[in-house]
Amino acid sequence: MDPIDAELALAEVRARRSQVIDANSIPSWFWRAIGVLMVMFTAAVESRRPWLVAIGSVAYGIGLATTILLVVRQAKVQVRPSLIGIEGFLAIFGFTIVLVGIGVGLGLGLEAAGVGWPATLAVIPVAFGLAVGGPRLMGFLRRLMRSRPLAGDR
């Protein structure tokens, strides 16, 4: 195979890999939907009204299941976990820990200060963090996956 054909073949493989990565990225609307569902559910539970807790729980369950199903149904193939590597794992883990820390810390602080609806108020910045940070995390993971060598570990 001459060098030009080899280069063209590699370019085609890179293009196909990018298509697979893009086809399986979690869309931006997913993060916003999860954030809205979290705030709605937390407010329903924190209302301490049994009928509202029941309605909020059912709505959350249906909303979460629907949101996840829509994302899963759009995925055409599955990206190998080794493609994100330890860097990707640490980014996902760090993102999660930061949001959990913000939510729990703020909620406990608001409750200690005697503020009403502390969990609901604490989950709002977490939902905002998901809506803004989720798409950025996905962008980082896409760049990370594209930077991996074409011949990975087998």
Side-chain angles (χ1 to χ4, degrees), residues 126-146:
V126 173
F128 182 76
L130 280 172
V132 172
R136 289 182 180 183
L137 174 64
M138 291 310 302
F140 172 77
L141 293 174
R142 278 194 302 275
R143 287 188 303 278
L144 182 64
M145 289 186 280
R146 285 189 181 109

Side-chain angles (χ1 to χ4, degrees), residues 100-110 122:
V100 168
I102 289 169
V104 170
L106 185 56
L108 290 173
L110 290 170

Side-chain angles (χ1 to χ4, degrees), residues 12-153:
E12 178 68 21
V13 169
R14 283 188 190 95
R16 299 264 182 199
R17 180 174 67 173
S18 285
Q19 286 175 337
V20 168
I21 290 168
D22 290 341
N24 289 293
S25 292
I26 297 174
S28 295
W29 62 261
F30 172 85
W31 303 99
R32 292 188 298 273
I34 296 299
V36 167
L37 287 168
M38 286 172 43
V39 172
M40 182 268 318
F41 176 70
T42 306
V45 170
E46 206 164 31
S47 76
R48 294 189 175 101
R49 292 186 177 98
W51 65 270
L52 195 52
V53 172
I55 291 171
S57 297
V58 170
Y60 178 77
I62 291 170
L64 185 62
T66 302
T67 302
I68 291 171
L69 261 172
L70 288 171
V71 171
V72 168
R73 288 190 72 201
Q74 94 175 20
K76 310 232 183 323
V77 294
Q78 186 174 0
V79 174
R80 290 190 337 224
S82 62
L83 199 52
I84 66 166
I86 191 71
E87 239 185 308
F89 169 78
L90 290 174
I92 294 167
F93 183 75
F95 179 69
T96 304
I97 291 299
V98 165
L99 290 179
V100 168
I102 289 169
V104 170
L106 185 56
L108 290 173
L110 290 170
E111 185 174 22
V115 174
W117 298 74
T120 303
L121 292 175
V123 83
I124 291 170
V126 173
F128 182 76
L130 280 172
V132 172
R136 289 182 180 183
L137 174 64
M138 291 310 302
F140 172 77
L141 293 174
R142 278 194 302 275
R143 287 188 303 278
L144 182 64
M145 289 186 280
R146 285 189 181 109
S147 71
R148 297 282 187 227
L150 289 176
D153 296 338

Side-chain angles (χ1 to χ4, degrees), residues 1-15:
M1 178 178 267
D2 71 57
I4 292 176
D5 288 338
E7 228 175 286
L8 289 172
L10 280 173
E12 178 68 21
V13 169
R14 283 188 190 95

